[in-house]
């Protein structure tokens, strides 16, 4: 069927639903198995429901369902990718189709990085008025059927809820039922999707008139009270923020203040001035909704996209609280889910562009320190997938080393850890610097490295012990330990900790001899793994009852 498969290539595609009839007629279908997310939502700290102001990203690009609709990937040159997941809390996939089901590749990539994904339920113009009249003015049975279907769709495809965006005037009968519909939808989503969310877009007033308010106020509060949050329109000033904060009370982090990166209309700042908007939003303790950050790709072009993307998110980093990983194992080869070639074990397997966000790996923090340190995606060489992480910087005069923070961690340390690292040094010579992993722990009187008799480490920085060969029984898992290949150096380490809590994972670049001059360095990181030794040693469960379906031979 054309909805589920591309008519020219027969490949499975992600899809949307148009109109009320399609929504109400939807039911699970064997043909749409490809569209079900295969990656459960990863845990992270702090959790979404914490008191901290949040960051929502609303992705709106060229009508949606472009190259990202191909579930098994495509040969797209220079595609749009998002990878600053550590900095955001919620990802919304937006289009102007009535029911926007997020393409499954986005859900997979976001979930792997611990970010929930929302679809969009939208009505607009006169068609939207008719649609709303049909399901809202009809009373509880009619709007109950819509809320039930939306919740079932999120549950079936395993994404995390809805942005509700009704942008048309409502009759008195329809608007009277709107708060009840939102309450019902929110309850159904919470019930069927763990951690599910429903967010309302600031458009309609409680009297049914379509008029954007750019704030939470007495005219739209009834809708805010009926769901998990309000996404405001973009043309606000500071007084709007003050009033929203005062009215929201303890729910102030459920107000997502809209920031249009394209800076349409009368806004504080978009583009590379988006930080001006975020500064004000954070001063008032509110959450932010960054709309169409694809501006970087659409406006500045595809050529230097990755460079511009790092610059854009780097300019906002001060206002975007980051998230910590809170479960092991942590394993990543930094691949973006796209590339100009495919690599395996450090060797180019296949040349040519490819794009498949479902294969994107866990992404790091991308730290930047003006002039002294930068991290970026590198497509020309990789250990596995399509890209590696390039780290370049300088060791300042008189200093022994530089630590580049890759991940923030927040979890109790198991008694024994194995760590693995694959890297390629570009400069200087290997005789001049050493590269290794460093783990830091949260300060506590009881945290010790090694046995109970060891002395606590100063400032809780731990340098794991180098293993020249994998421990017995782990040779298969840690097979790259002694050798590496194709110019990549491989290292395995172990670290024993007592009563510690993990804080940061960094790569440490140290020089062999102290110098009064600075030492520039550049290296590629191909893979990093942090493993709980006890779990690694246990035999993995046997896979049983494998079946294959939906096969198409070409």
């Amino acid at each position: 069927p054309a909805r589920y498969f591309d008519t020219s290539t027969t490949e499975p595609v992600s899809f949307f639903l148009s109109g009320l009839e399609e929504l109400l007629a939807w039911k699970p279908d064997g043909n749409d198995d490809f569209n079900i997310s295969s990656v459960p939502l990863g845990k992270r700290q702090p959790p979404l429901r914490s008191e901290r102001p949040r960051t929502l990203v609303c992705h709106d690009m060229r009508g949606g369902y472009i190259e990202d609709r191909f579930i098994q990937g495509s040969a797209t040159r220079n595609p749009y990718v998002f990878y600053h997941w550590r900095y955001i809390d919620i990802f919304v996939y937006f289009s102007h189709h009535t029911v926007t089901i997020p393409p499954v590749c986005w859900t997979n990539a976001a979930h792997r990085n611990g970010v929930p994904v929302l679809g969009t339920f939208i009505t607009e113009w006169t068609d939207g008025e008719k649609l709303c009249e049909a399901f809202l003015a009809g009373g509880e049975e009619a709007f109950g059927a819509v809320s039930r279907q939306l919740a079932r769709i999120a549950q079936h495809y395993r994404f995390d809820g809805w942005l509700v965006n009704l942008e048309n005037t409502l009759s008195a009968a329809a608007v009277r039922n709107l708060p009840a519909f939102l309450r019902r939808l929110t309850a159904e989503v919470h019930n069927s999707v763990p951690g599910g969310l429903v967010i309302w877009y600031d458009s309609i007033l409680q009297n049914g008139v379509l008029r954007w308010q750019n704030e939470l106020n007495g005219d739209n509060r009834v809708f805010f009270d009926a769901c998990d949050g309000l996404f405001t329109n973009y043309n606000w000033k500071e007084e709007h923020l003050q009033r929203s904060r005062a009215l929201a009370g303890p729910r102030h982090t459920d107000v997502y203040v809209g920031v249009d990166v394209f800076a349409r209309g009368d806004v504080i700042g978009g583009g590379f001035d988006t930080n001006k908007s975020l500064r004000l939003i954070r001063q008032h303790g509110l959450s932010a909704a960054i709309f169409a950050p694809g501006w970087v790709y659409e406006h500045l072009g595809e050529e230097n996209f990755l460079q511009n993307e790092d610059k854009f998110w780097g300019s906002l980093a001060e206002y975007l609280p980051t998230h910590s990983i809170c479960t092991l194992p942590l394993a990543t080869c930094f691949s973006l889910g796209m590339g100009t070639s495919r690599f395996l074990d450090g060797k180019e397997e296949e040349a040519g562009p490819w794009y498949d966000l479902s294969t994107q790996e866990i992404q790091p923090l991308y730290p930047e320190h003006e002039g002294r340190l930068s991290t970026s995606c590198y497509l020309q060489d990789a250990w596995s997938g399509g890209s590696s992480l390039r780290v370049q910087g300088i060791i300042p005069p008189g200093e022994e080393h530089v630590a580049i923070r890759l991940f923030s961690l927040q979890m109790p340390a198991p008694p024994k850890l194995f760590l693995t690292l694959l890297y390629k040094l570009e400069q200087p010579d290997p005789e001049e610097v050493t590269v290794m992993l460093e783990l830091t722990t949260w300060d506590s009187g009881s945290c010790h490295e090694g046995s109970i008799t060891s002395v606590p480490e100063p400032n809780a920085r731990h340098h794991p012990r180098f293993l020249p060969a994998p421990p017995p029984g782990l040779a298969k898992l840690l097979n790259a330990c002694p050798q590496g290949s194709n110019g990549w150096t491989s290292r395995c380490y172990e670290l024993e900790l007592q009563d510690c809590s993990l804080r940061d994972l960094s790569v440490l670049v140290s020089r062999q001899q102290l110098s009064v001059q600075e030492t520039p360095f550049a290296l590629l990181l191909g893979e990093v793994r942090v493993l709980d030794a006890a779990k690694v040693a246990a035999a993995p469960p046997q896979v049983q009852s494998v079946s294959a379906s939906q096969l198409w031979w070409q």
Side-chain angles (χ1 to χ4, degrees), residues 357-369:
L357 272 180
S358 285
T359 67
Q360 188 184 88
E361 300 256 338
I362 292 174
Q363 295 297 307
L365 284 164
Y366 292 100
E368 290 281 329
H369 297 292

Side-chain angles (χ1 to χ4, degrees), residues 137-359:
E140 198 169 343
E141 198 174 325
F143 70 69
V146 168
S147 61
R148 196 159 49 250
Q149 284 292 78
L150 290 172
R152 284 177 67 203
I153 287 169
Q155 181 185 39
H156 179 71
Y157 297 115
R158 297 185 191 157
F159 61 96
D160 306 286
W162 296 98
L163 171 69
V164 179
N165 184 8
L166 309 187
E167 296 211 52
N168 44 256
T169 305
L170 293 184
S171 69
V175 80
R176 205 167 36 245
N177 285 326
L178 181 54
F181 163 67
L182 282 175
R183 276 193 298 275
R184 179 81 170 264
L185 174 61
T186 305
E188 301 238 10
V189 166
H190 289 181
N191 201 18
S192 50
V193 179
L197 286 171
V198 173
I199 293 174
W200 169 255
Y201 181 69
D202 152 34
S203 50
I204 293 169
L205 310 186
Q206 60 184 2
N207 62 3
V209 172
L210 175 65
R211 192 181 302 132
W212 299 270
Q213 299 297 287
N214 307 297
E215 65 176 342
L216 171 68
N217 62 25
D219 286 323
N220 59 21
R221 181 182 180 161
V222 61
F223 310 125
F224 174 68
D225 290 341
C227 67
D228 295 309
L230 170 77
F231 178 151
T232 78
N233 193 46
Y234 313 102
N235 307 120
W236 46 267
K237 295 286 175 276
E238 191 165 8
E239 55 268 28
H240 292 98
L241 304 182
Q242 288 163 341
R243 292 195 294 260
S244 296
R245 167 79 204 231
L247 190 60
R251 282 189 69 199
H252 57 93
T253 55
D254 293 339
V255 177
Y256 298 84
V257 181
V259 179
D260 180 4
V261 181
F262 277 85
R264 291 163 280 213
D266 180 13
V267 301
I268 302 279
F272 283 119
D273 286 333
T274 299
N275 57 337
K276 292 177 181 168
S277 295
L278 277 178
R279 184 184 308 129
L280 278 177
I281 292 168
R282 297 310 194 210
Q283 276 169 9
H284 293 279
L286 300 168
S287 291
I290 300 173
F291 183 74
W295 170 85
V296 175
Y297 181 86
E298 293 188 70
H299 180 72
L300 301 175
E302 301 168 7
E303 272 312 289
N304 297 316
F305 167 61
L306 295 176
Q307 213 175 325
N308 290 329
E309 182 78 342
D310 289 340
K311 181 182 168 187
F312 175 77
W313 288 98
S315 73
L316 305 181
E318 189 184 337
Y319 307 107
L320 303 176
T322 57
H323 294 82
S324 305
I325 287 175
C326 62
T327 53
L328 293 180
L330 164 59
T332 182
C333 61
F334 306 104
S335 179
L336 292 180
M338 53 86 73
T340 49
S341 300
R342 285 181 190 269
F343 295 86
L344 185 65
D345 294 341
K347 196 163 98 244
E348 186 182 70
E349 286 260 288
E350 196 182 340
W354 64 277
Y355 171 59
D356 182 359
L357 272 180
S358 285
T359 67

